[in-house]
Amino acid sequence: MRRLIALIVRVFFRRVEILGAEHVPPAGPVILLLNHPNSLVDPLLLLGLVPRRVVFLAKEPLFRIPVVGWLTRAMGSIPVYRRMDGADTSQNRKTFEKVWQELARGGAIALFPEGTSHSDPKMRPFKTGSARMALGAASMNPGLPVRIVPGGLYYTAKVTFRSSAVLCFGEPITVASEPLGPDGEPTPETVRALTARLQEALSKVTLQADQEEALRLVTRAERIFSSVEGPGTKDRDLTRQFALRQRFLRGYTQLRVRIPDRVAAVEHMLTRYDAELVAAGMAPENMLESRLTVGMVTRNASIAVVTLLLLAPLAVVGIVIHLPAYKITGPLITRAAKVQRDVVATTKILAAAAVFPIIWFVIAWLAWKHWGAGLATLAFVACPVSGYAALLFVEQFDRLIGSARGLSLRLLRPRAFRHLEAQRRKIREAILELDAEID
C-alpha cells in the first residue's frame, strides 16, 4: 500500500520534498501533528514520504464511503466520532484506548488537530484531543516518553495536477508523564497549555496569513524575487521557496503596520510588473538572463529536442489514450468542487484511479480478443507507461516553449526585455530593503 501511495503521490505532484526528516524518530512512540489543507491528499503525502508505518486518526464517516473506506481501513486508521457527523461521541473513549495501545507498542500516530480539512489561509483553532492523547499515553507508560513532531504541509498549487508539495517537520516536543485526574483524564489546565504549545509549534512549519490576498501577494513577490540572479538564488528550489515565503509573510505582517506606505509601494510595483509580464506572454522563471544567451538556449533546446524525439512514440500513444478522459473529467471535477477547494485534488486522484484503469482494461480486452493474451498483457502494461511518457513529453515541451519565448523577447524586443529586467531588479532591491526592516 505504501509503495502504491508513494507512486500516486509522485505522479500527481511534479516535485515532492521532505524537510526536517531527521526530526522524525525512526522508532518509539510518536505523534505526528499536521495542518490539513488538502483533504485525503494530506495523509497520502505523509504515507508516501515518512519512512515508517503510520496509523491515522480519521473521521468515522470515511469508513463508510466506497473505495475511500476500504483505503482508510487498509491503512489501519482509527475512527474518530464527531458531533458534527451525528455520531455517538462517547465511542471516542475506544479511540483513545486504541491510540494509547498503538503508542505503547512504539507506534506512530498521525492526526490533524484542526479537526477538518479546509482552504482557510490560516490554521483553525486546535481540538484538544491530540494533547489529551499524548498526556494520557505518557502517564500510562512513564518509562516510554511520547514525542510529538509538528509537520507542515505546503502546496505550490494544491488543486493543480503536476504542481509541487513540501512536508516540513519541526523540532519534536517530548511529553512528560503527568498525574491524571480522578476521571482518568489529564487536568484541563495541562491540556490547554500543551494544546497552545502544539499550535505554536505547528505555526512555525506552516505558511499562514490572516487573509488570502496576503498569501497571493507573497507568492508573487517570491516568484519575482527568486527569478533574479543573485547570491543563493536557485531555480525554483522548493526548500528555499518555502523558507522565503515564510519570511516574506512574517515581514509583511510586521511592516504593513509599521511602514504601510513602503509596503504598498512594493505591492504596486509587483502588480505593474505582473501585468507587463502577462502582456509579454512571459513567466518570471523564463526571464533569467543567464539562460537566454544563444549558446545556452541552443544547448538546452538540443537536449530538449532529443528528449522529445525519444519520448514521442510512447507519448503520442499516451496522449491518445489518456487526454480525452483527462480533458472531460478535470473541468467537471473542478467545477463540482468549486466551493470546497480542499477536496479538488482528492477528487481528481480518486477519479483518475477509477477511470484510467477501466480504460486500460478495455484496451487490454480488445487486444486479447484480436491478438491473444500475450499482447493483451503487453498492452495493459504499456498504457500507464505511455501515460507517464506523455506527461514528461508535455512538460519538456512547455519548458522549451518558455525558453524560446524568453529568447525571442530578448532578441526581437530588446528594449522591452531591458525594461522588464530593470523592473525586476528594482523590485528585488525594494524587497531586500524591506527585509532589512524585519525584527
Side-chain angles (χ1 to χ4, degrees):
M1 283 298 300
R2 288 187 66 248
R3 290 191 182 94
L4 176 61
I5 289 169
L7 177 62
I8 291 171
V9 166
R10 295 289 178 179
V11 170
F12 189 85
F13 294 104
R14 183 180 303 187
R15 285 191 298 164
V16 180
E17 291 185 13
I18 181 170
L19 311 178
E22 67 277 5
H23 295 316
V24 180
V30 63
I31 296 177
L32 303 176
L33 211 66
L34 302 112
N35 60 321
H36 204 2
N38 211 0
S39 191
L40 292 180
V41 177
D42 297 336
L44 289 180
L45 194 66
L46 187 71
L47 286 166
L49 294 180
V50 176
R52 64 177 290 183
R53 180 179 178 271
V54 178
V55 173
F56 275 90
L57 267 68
K59 60 183 181 181
E60 188 274 335
L62 289 178
F63 291 80
R64 294 185 268 116
I65 300 176
V67 181
V68 174
W70 170 82
L71 181 64
T72 304
R73 285 187 293 272
M75 293 189 296
S77 301
I78 299 172
V80 175
Y81 301 88
R82 307 187 304 174
R83 188 174 288 107
M84 70 176 68
D85 300 322
D88 178 9
T89 57
S90 65
Q91 296 189 69
N92 281 329
R93 184 66 191 179
K94 297 179 181 177
T95 300
F96 276 67
E97 290 173 357
K98 290 179 180 178
V99 169
W100 292 332
Q101 290 168 7
E102 183 67 28
L103 292 173
R105 290 193 292 266
I109 295 287
L111 55 87
F112 303 101
E114 296 169 276
T116 185
S117 174
H118 64 89
S119 290
D120 298 346
K122 193 172 185 177
M123 284 193 301
R124 294 181 178 180
F126 280 20
K127 308 296 183 183
T128 59
S130 52
R132 290 163 59 204
M133 289 173 185
L135 289 165
S139 298
M140 290 180 177
N141 301 280
L144 197 62
V146 176
R147 280 170 287 188
I148 302 177
V149 180
L153 291 160
Y154 160 67
Y155 302 93
T156 56
K158 69 179 183 179
V159 304
T160 305
F161 179 54
R162 301 300 284 172
S163 55
S164 301
V166 174
L167 174 56
C168 178
F169 288 113
E171 293 280 350
I173 297 170
T174 301
V175 180
S177 176
E178 296 276 350
L180 300 179
D183 57 355
E185 290 279 345
T187 63
E189 295 78 15
T190 307
V191 170
R192 283 195 294 269
L194 181 57
T195 300
R197 187 181 175 192
L198 295 178
Q199 187 148 4
E200 182 183 358
L202 193 54
S203 68
K204 294 178 180 178
V205 292
T206 52
L207 203 62
Q208 299 184 75
D210 292 332
Q211 295 179 336
E212 188 69 35
E213 289 76 10
L215 286 176
R216 286 197 287 265
L217 174 64
V218 163
T219 297
R220 288 157 51 206
E222 185 277 323
R223 286 186 68 194
I224 294 170
F225 182 88
S226 297
S227 70
V228 177
E229 295 169 301
T233 300
K234 291 186 178 180
D235 178 23
R236 307 307 295 153
D237 177 85
L238 286 178
T239 304
R240 174 179 169 79
Q241 180 183 138
F242 179 65
L244 275 175
R245 293 187 184 186
Q246 275 193 317
R247 182 166 181 82
F248 284 6
L249 267 175
R250 187 168 66 252
Y252 178 72
T253 303
Q254 288 182 21
L255 301 182
R256 67 178 175 176
V257 177
R258 286 171 41 201
I259 45 175
D261 292 343
R262 287 176 61 186
V263 171
V266 174
E267 186 173 355
H268 177 70
M269 291 166 62
L270 288 168
T271 301
R272 187 174 63 182
Y273 183 73
D274 269 347
E276 291 178 354
L277 276 182
V278 171
M282 298 292 294
E285 295 80 15
N286 295 326
M287 289 289 295
L288 270 177
E289 192 171 356
S290 63
R291 290 198 223 147
L292 297 179
T293 64
V294 174
M296 183 62 72
V297 170
T298 302
R299 175 181 173 276
N300 291 339
S302 300
I303 295 172
V305 169
V306 170
T307 304
L308 291 174
L309 290 174
L310 292 174
L311 289 173
L314 263 180
V316 170
V317 174
I319 291 171
V320 170
I321 292 173
H322 300 92
L323 186 61
Y326 176 78
K327 286 294 186 181
I328 293 171
T329 58
L332 288 176
I333 290 167
T334 303
R335 194 175 300 117
K338 193 172 183 179
V339 179
Q340 295 178 293
R341 291 183 66 250
D342 57 300
V343 303
V344 173
T346 297
T347 311
K348 286 181 177 181
I349 290 175
L350 292 176
V355 172
F356 289 136
I358 292 174
I359 294 173
W360 303 339
F361 274 113
V362 169
I363 292 173
W365 178 77
L366 291 173
W368 175 73
K369 292 285 288 183
H370 290 85
W371 300 295
L375 282 177
T377 303
L378 180 62
F380 186 76
V381 173
C383 282
V385 173
S386 70
Y388 191 64
L391 276 180
L392 298 179
F393 182 91
V394 171
E395 289 169 359
Q396 183 71 278
F397 186 75
D398 283 344
R399 284 192 289 270
L400 183 61
I401 293 298
S403 180
R405 283 177 177 169
L407 181 63
S408 65
L409 181 68
R410 186 179 186 192
L411 295 180
L412 303 179
R413 299 171 59 195
R415 289 182 63 185
F417 182 86
R418 286 195 298 271
H419 170 72
L420 287 172
E421 180 70 10
Q423 288 295 104
R424 184 176 55 167
R425 292 188 179 278
K426 187 176 178 181
I427 290 171
R428 190 172 197 269
E429 290 168 4
I431 291 174
L432 287 172
E433 289 173 4
L434 288 180
D435 185 71
E437 300 284 344
I438 300 174
D439 294 335

